[in-house]
Amino acid sequence: MSLHPSLAAVRRPVRATLERLEPGEKVIVACSGGADSLALASAAVFEGHKLGLHIIGATVDHGLQDGSRAQAAKVIGQLAEMGVDETVTATVEVEAAGEGPEAAARQARYAVLDQLAERLGASVILLGHTRDDQAETVLLGLTRGSGARSLSGMRAGFDRYRRPLLDTTRIDTETACQVEGLDIWQDPHNRDFAYTRARIRHRVLPTLEEDLGPGVAAALARTAEQLREDADFIDDIAEAMHRELGGSLPVETLAGYPSAVRTRVLRIAALEAGSPPAELTREHVKAVDELITGWRGQRWIDLPGHLRAKRTNGAIAFESGPFTPSA
């Protein structure tokens, strides 16, 4: 009996990801109970156990909805029934600030997953983002006038995180769950049009597919992949140049760099100086770049995270605060 095509579409990339690990390694699967993460967890158990891996099912309760604790308990039960070797649940407090509740929840989730990986000795954390999520991310970037890094979408892997389903459709994850008889949780936030991503998912993308023809989501995902290759190349150049500068940022040297490289070097330096990554925007970096390309005697540029940039003695310097109003 042949494997259902949707099950194959989920299991194949999961197997390709897990095959790179050694037997006995621990893998955390982040699971909310939605179709994408349930399908991912089931595939991780099926493929991971054949490879001798220790699969840990983890769910994070953000406490943002009524009944979130009960939902987390339900997910833990589902993971246990799948046959994961270990289950764990974590509760986080989400402080919505800066970029809003979605960004705050994401930061809190990654922070607790990192802590769990350290505590449990897991080498890899699997995330269930699909090609549809990728398309939504690219479209969000386009509406915000973002640069190549943002338009390149989500990476298939970074640090200990892996996204094996980035080339898999949401229809396949939903169908895979139906084939396996898994009870899918429908997150109310995904239907709350107060959230931009929900409007893109249920209004914008379907309209584009209807008016322009099928394949829009796939095309957006391909665009992300192409841009990511270019952005990664420029990032590598910028990181190498930043290392060569050895911590100094001479204006004369930086002025000779292409803009795409120079702004990346300035961003790297600012982040090393202590600015929160989530709050350092392109506009902030461009303002710092003006100290090189549009110098008019500015005293400093204020940045998030009690940080400021100054041009002094022919170089760009970052200072950490807090600062007094007159300083």
Side-chain angles (χ1 to χ4, degrees), residues 153-183:
M154 295 177 285
R155 291 169 287 175
F158 65 99
D159 299 332
R160 55 167 64 95
Y161 290 91
R162 303 291 182 270
R163 295 184 174 107
L165 303 184
L166 271 188
D167 289 326
T168 304
T169 67
R170 186 173 295 133
I171 289 177
D172 275 329
T173 62
E174 291 174 349
T175 303
C177 287
Q178 292 169 2
V179 170
E180 295 195 276
L182 300 175
D183 184 16

Side-chain angles (χ1 to χ4, degrees), residues 64-81:
L64 295 176
Q65 303 173 13
D66 293 337
S68 63
R69 181 177 298 180
Q71 171 59 23
K74 177 183 175 181
V75 173
I76 290 298
Q78 289 178 296
L79 292 169
E81 288 179 6

Side-chain angles (χ1 to χ4, degrees), residues 27 30 32 37-38 53 62 70 94 110 115-116 133 143 170 172 194 201 234 240 255 257 304:
V27 177
S32 66
S37 60
L38 276 179
L53 301 173
H62 301 87
V94 178
Y110 280 110
Q115 293 171 10
L116 289 174
D133 294 309
T143 63
R170 186 173 295 133
D172 275 329
R201 177 174 300 183
I234 300 173
Y257 290 175

Side-chain angles (χ1 to χ4, degrees), residues 234-235 237-243 245 248-249 254 257-272 285 318:
I234 300 173
D235 284 347
I237 293 174
E239 289 173 3
M241 289 185 167
H242 179 257
R243 288 194 298 270
L245 291 174
S248 64
L249 298 170
L254 290 171
Y257 290 175
S259 175
V261 174
R262 182 176 61 249
T263 52
R264 281 169 166 81
V265 170
L266 292 173
R267 178 178 176 82
I268 293 169
L271 294 178
E272 284 191 351
V285 178
F318 292 95

Side-chain angles (χ1 to χ4, degrees), residues 3-323:
L3 186 65
H4 190 283
S6 290
L7 278 177
V10 173
R11 289 179 180 177
R12 191 182 303 114
V14 171
R15 181 173 64 249
T17 298
L18 297 181
E19 281 177 340
R20 302 169 187 172
L21 304 179
E22 296 294 329
E25 287 193 66
K26 294 184 177 181
V27 177
I28 290 178
V29 185
C31 186
S32 66
D36 302 338
S37 60
L38 276 179
L40 174 66
S42 178
V45 170
F46 183 85
E47 300 294 345
H49 283 170
K50 291 192 295 184
L51 296 169
L53 301 173
H54 184 93
I55 307 299
I56 302 169
T59 190
V60 179
D61 177 9
H62 301 87
L64 295 176
Q65 303 173 13
D66 293 337
S68 63
R69 181 177 298 180
Q71 171 59 23
K74 177 183 175 181
V75 173
I76 290 298
Q78 289 178 296
L79 292 169
E81 288 179 6
M82 285 180 195
V84 298
D85 299 291
E86 192 174 350
T87 61
V88 60
T89 183
T91 302
V92 297
E93 292 186 9
V94 178
E95 297 181 4
E99 295 187 6
E102 289 177 286
R106 182 171 58 252
Q107 291 176 41
R109 181 166 60 253
Y110 280 110
V112 76
L113 287 172
D114 280 331
Q115 293 171 10
L116 289 174
E118 291 291 338
R119 179 164 63 86
L120 299 173
S123 54
V124 167
I125 301 172
L126 300 184
L127 303 175
H129 299 109
T130 66
R131 189 175 73 186
D132 298 83
D133 294 309
Q134 186 75 293
E136 293 162 11
T137 299
V138 175
L139 201 52
L140 275 170
L142 286 169
T143 63
R144 294 167 178 168
S146 301
R149 172 48 67 196
S150 179
L151 296 182
S152 64
M154 295 177 285
R155 291 169 287 175
F158 65 99
D159 299 332
R160 55 167 64 95
Y161 290 91
R162 303 291 182 270
R163 295 184 174 107
L165 303 184
L166 271 188
D167 289 326
T168 304
T169 67
R170 186 173 295 133
I171 289 177
D172 275 329
T173 62
E174 291 174 349
T175 303
C177 287
Q178 292 169 2
V179 170
E180 295 195 276
L182 300 175
D183 184 16
I184 301 171
W185 177 57
Q186 303 293 342
D187 186 348
H189 282 175
N190 290 337
R191 285 280 182 181
D192 185 348
F193 289 162
Y195 295 97
T196 305
R197 187 175 286 271
R199 296 195 297 274
I200 285 180
R201 177 174 300 183
H202 297 291
R203 288 179 177 172
V204 179
L205 271 174
T207 299
L208 289 175
E209 295 271 356
E210 181 179 350
D211 292 345
L212 302 179
V216 172
L220 288 169
R222 286 197 303 272
T223 297
E225 184 176 359
Q226 294 165 12
L227 284 172
R228 192 179 311 113
E229 293 176 359
D230 295 342
D232 287 345
F233 178 69
I234 300 173
D235 284 347
D236 290 343
I237 293 174
E239 289 173 3
M241 289 185 167
H242 179 257
R243 288 194 298 270
E244 288 180 7
L245 291 174
S248 64
L249 298 170
V251 169
E252 184 176 353
T253 301
L254 290 171
Y257 290 175
S259 175
V261 174
R262 182 176 61 249
T263 52
R264 281 169 166 81
V265 170
L266 292 173
R267 178 178 176 82
I268 293 169
L271 294 178
E272 284 191 351
S275 179
E279 296 182 8
L280 189 65
T281 67
R282 175 176 173 79
E283 295 306 314
H284 291 131
V285 178
K286 286 175 62 178
V288 177
D289 193 42
E290 283 287 313
L291 295 176
I292 300 169
T293 62
W295 173 245
R296 302 181 306 278
Q298 304 98 308
R299 293 182 64 189
W300 60 69
I301 301 297
D302 288 319
L303 299 170
H306 302 296
L307 192 70
R308 66 173 45 161
K310 298 176 65 175
R311 174 168 169 160
T312 177
N313 298 323
I316 303 300
F318 292 95
E319 300 176 339
S320 295
F323 306 98

